[in-house]
């Protein structure tokens, strides 16, 4: 299989290495190709500059579109996810057999602690969710059968903000009502994408997240205690959001298995790696 990963960053690198180990040909497209793993066919290009997209490979079987915005604001999101997708799709010399578009569970608007899945109507409240939903809709218009993967919050090596936060002094976190959060380890996110690349006749939409939506206070308290730090002060705010609980049942039913089914397994692995370096 010949795979082009457009926006081959942290998760893309893990996916690329796994594909290479199985004997696939992998192209990695990004502006700075110095961070691409050995064996990846590097394509130094900018999705926002069509002139840099003229030398794409003539034959690819699968495309994974997973770029990173230059900034966390609406303009940057629209640039990379809308203009970037249009530019890339126009530059391809041949339509891929399969296209995966990485989106986010931010497209869901649930804030009362309820469960959401692939059947739940989106209702994004933030600009990031709105732009990503717009990307999904664009893809459905210009592509024959794209596969959208809505991924929850990714953590892992190098994505340790919550670990550092949990160790800070005087920390205060909403405890009541519980505000549910959803996450997935970086390696599981990459593995889910690989699984969907290889799956026979995938559906149009999947959610990638771990098995355990958990209150943010619970996660931060566990991380604090694991580091020998005091539990954060629990706040009560009856007007605060309850968040949402995201289901991965459809992905699991397709045959996918997680290496890190909950935050305890995943963060324990991250912290073990930190202690060994």
């Amino acid at each position: 299989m010949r795979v082009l990963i457009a926006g081959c960053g942290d998760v893309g690198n893990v996916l690329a290495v796994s594909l290479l180990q199985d004997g696939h040909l992998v192209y990695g497209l990004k502006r700075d190709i110095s961070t691409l793993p050995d064996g990846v066919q590097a394509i130094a290009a900018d999705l926002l500059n069509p002139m840099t997209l003229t030398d794409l490979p003539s034959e690819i079987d699968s495309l994974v579109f997973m770029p990173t915005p230059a900034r966390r604001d609406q303009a940057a999101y629209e640039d990379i996810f809308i203009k970037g997708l249009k530019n890339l799709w126009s530059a391809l010399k041949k339509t891929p057999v399969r296209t995966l578009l990485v989106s986010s569970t931010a497209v869901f608007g649930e804030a009362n602690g309820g469960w959401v899945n692939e059947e739940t109507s989106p209702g994004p409240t933030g600009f990031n969710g709105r732009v990503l939903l717009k990307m999904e809709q664009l893809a459905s218009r210009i592509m024959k059968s794209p596969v959208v993967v809505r991924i929850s919050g990714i953590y892992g090596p190098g994505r340790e903000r919550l670990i550092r936060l949990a160790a800070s002094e005087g920390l205060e976190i909403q405890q009541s009502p519980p505000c549910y959060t959803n996450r997935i380890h970086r390696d599981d996110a990459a593995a889910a994408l690989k699984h969907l690349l290889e799956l026979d006749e995938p559906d149009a939409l999947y959610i990638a997240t771990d098995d355990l939506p958990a209150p943010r206070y619970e996660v931060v308290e566990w991380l604090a205690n694991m580091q020998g730090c005091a539990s954060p002060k629990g706040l009560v705010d009856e007007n605060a959001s309850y968040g949402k609980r995201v289901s991965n049942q459809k992905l699991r039913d397709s045959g996918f298995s997680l290496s890190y089914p909950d935050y305890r397994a995943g963060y324990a692995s991250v912290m073990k790696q930190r202690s060994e370096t």
Side-chain angles (χ1 to χ4, degrees):
M1 181 166 57
R2 295 159 295 192
V3 183
L4 170 59
I5 304 175
C8 193
D10 186 28
V11 177
N13 283 348
V14 177
L15 171 61
V17 169
S18 183
L19 289 169
L20 288 169
Q21 289 171 343
D22 285 355
H24 300 297
L25 176 62
V26 181
Y27 298 92
L29 186 156
K30 61 186 309 186
R31 284 172 296 181
D32 177 8
I33 59 174
S34 65
T35 58
L36 291 174
D38 292 341
V40 173
Q41 304 299 307
I43 302 174
D46 183 348
L47 292 172
L48 299 183
N49 183 356
M51 296 299 294
T52 67
L53 299 170
T54 56
D55 293 325
L56 298 181
S58 58
E59 295 281 347
I60 61 168
D61 302 302
S62 300
L63 167 66
V64 182
F65 185 74
M66 52 188 309
T68 301
R71 305 175 308 280
R72 189 170 175 79
D73 60 47
Q74 184 165 336
Y77 268 65
E78 289 182 343
D79 277 346
I80 199 68
F81 290 115
I82 307 302
K83 294 178 185 176
L85 179 57
K86 288 179 180 177
N87 290 341
L88 178 64
W89 196 250
S90 297
L92 291 175
K93 296 175 173 63
K94 186 176 179 181
T95 302
V97 176
R98 180 165 302 173
T99 297
L100 296 189
L101 293 110
V102 174
S103 185
S104 167
T105 54
V107 303
F108 295 112
E110 171 63 40
N112 294 315
W115 284 92
V116 300
N117 59 27
E118 289 80 358
E119 303 301 316
T120 305
S121 297
T125 56
F127 74 83
N128 56 330
R130 289 193 293 269
V131 174
L132 288 166
L133 182 59
K134 185 178 176 182
M135 177 195 71
E136 295 179 15
Q137 295 165 341
L138 169 65
S140 69
R141 293 196 301 271
I142 65 176
M143 303 175 189
K144 184 178 180 181
S145 54
V147 177
V148 171
V149 190
R150 293 174 179 166
I151 301 182
S152 64
I154 300 171
Y155 70 97
R159 295 172 179 257
E160 302 166 13
R161 182 188 61 82
L162 207 60
I163 295 176
R164 295 190 296 271
L165 177 69
S168 57
E169 294 184 11
L171 185 61
E172 299 180 346
I173 300 286
Q174 177 186 332
Q175 185 175 17
S176 179
C179 180
Y180 287 96
T181 57
N182 305 268
R183 65 199 53 78
I184 187 169
H185 190 284
R186 177 201 65 186
D187 294 356
D188 279 332
L193 295 175
K194 182 183 178 187
H195 170 75
L196 294 173
L197 282 173
E198 298 174 339
L199 189 65
D200 291 335
E201 299 181 0
D203 287 342
L205 176 63
Y206 292 88
I207 290 171
T209 190
D210 72 15
D211 291 344
L212 185 66
R216 188 165 186 261
Y217 182 89
E218 175 186 311
V219 178
V220 175
E221 181 182 43
W222 185 87
L223 287 170
N225 296 165
M226 283 289 287
Q227 297 176 86
C229 301
S231 298
K233 179 182 178 181
L235 301 179
V236 177
D237 183 357
E238 296 302 331
N239 297 316
S241 168
Y242 287 59
K244 55 182 172 280
R245 287 179 279 185
V246 182
S247 170
N248 66 10
Q249 191 61 53
K250 182 176 180 179
L251 184 62
R252 279 193 163 279
D253 287 347
S254 74
F256 180 69
S257 296
L258 291 152
S259 296
Y260 305 100
D262 59 36
Y263 70 85
R264 297 180 186 90
Y267 273 116
S269 174
V270 175
M271 287 192 286
K272 181 181 179 182
Q273 286 181 263
R274 289 178 94 213
S275 67
E276 294 173 348
T277 56

